[in-house]
Amino acid sequence: MDRSWIALLALALAAPAFAQDEPPAEAAPEVEPAAEEAPAEEEPAEAAADEDGEGLKFYVGADVVDTTVSRSAPPSTPAPDADSAMLRMRLGARILEAVNLEVHYGADRSDQAAGEVTTDAYYGVYFVPTAKLYDWLELAFPLGYARSEFDDSGESLGSIAYGVDLEIPVKGLWDALPDLRLTGGAMVYYQKSDGRVYGLNTGLRYDF
């Protein structure tokens, strides 16, 4: 018997076993994109220093002061006014952007030959708010406490004191000049029911 057809039948039956689909190729693993490098934080810009710089700024001043000592008297009697004069020294510091702190000391420069009374003592401490109008012009408003003695009386006159000063920084007119100011103003050094002490001042101030 011809067995060739049997061999062909066996091959036909075995074919499905060899006809299995090839396994799909494994997908390449996804590569996560590299994380973008975060930009380096910018260094905060340094705060610009104000035009006066950092920290306390000190100054000294000297003024010629002509004062009037006015005593209260009964209405029927003229008030007995007397003139005096002193050299006033000031030491100040800028404690806030527009506020200074000043201490004052006064030395007598009266002319007794002209009938002026002596200024035996003068001390004062003031807060001084300031207002800048122009580069070459400022206003200052001293407000504090003053104590004075006149004419060897031994009587101490102390009270709230206040005033206004006009200051001209010459450096605002020309940068090459030193930090010097021309100053002038008026002050009330004493004011109570028994009298007043007031005066006009002109002088110089130097800022360090």
Side-chain angles (χ1 to χ4, degrees):
M1 181 178 181
D2 188 0
R3 300 184 182 212
S4 59
W5 64 275
I6 297 176
L8 290 174
L9 181 60
L11 287 173
L13 293 174
F18 295 100
Q20 293 179 357
D21 293 337
E22 294 182 4
E26 293 184 2
E30 286 188 13
V31 178
E32 294 185 3
E36 293 184 4
E37 189 172 328
E41 291 186 5
E42 295 182 2
E43 292 292 329
E46 293 184 1
D50 62 20
E51 60 183 1
D52 294 325
E54 297 179 356
L56 292 177
K57 289 293 185 180
F58 294 93
Y59 59 88
V60 293
D63 306 275
V64 172
V65 183
D66 294 316
T67 53
T68 298
V69 182
S70 178
R71 298 283 189 177
S72 296
S76 59
T77 306
D81 291 351
D83 293 330
S84 188
M86 65 176 169
L87 177 64
R88 185 182 70 175
M89 277 72 76
R90 300 183 292 146
L91 174 63
R94 174 151 293 188
I95 56 175
L96 295 173
E97 184 178 354
V99 179
N100 301 337
L101 176 65
E102 286 187 4
V103 291
H104 292 191
Y105 171 75
D108 180 54
R109 53 173 295 275
S110 61
D111 184 356
Q112 296 183 57
E116 295 182 347
V117 299
T118 59
T119 299
D120 302 315
Y122 164 69
Y123 305 94
V125 58
Y126 300 89
F127 288 105
V128 187
T130 62
K132 185 174 183 178
L133 303 182
Y134 305 98
D135 288 340
W136 52 271
L137 183 61
E138 291 188 20
L139 292 177
F141 305 93
L143 174 63
Y145 182 83
R147 182 172 289 275
S148 308
E149 293 180 16
F150 297 97
D151 204 23
D152 297 323
S153 66
E155 180 185 3
S156 193
L157 303 177
S159 78
I160 297 296
Y162 54 91
V164 60
D165 280 317
L166 186 71
E167 300 185 348
I168 300 176
V170 297
K171 197 175 183 68
L173 301 173
W174 186 23
D175 285 342
L177 294 173
D179 204 350
L180 195 67
R181 295 169 183 239
L182 307 176
T183 63
M187 287 283 300
V188 175
Y189 297 97
Y190 177 80
Q191 182 167 330
K192 286 187 176 180
S193 59
D194 59 343
R196 287 198 311 152
V197 178
Y198 53 93
L200 301 176
N201 54 273
T202 56
L204 296 172
R205 167 181 150 181
Y206 178 75
D207 289 47
F208 295 102

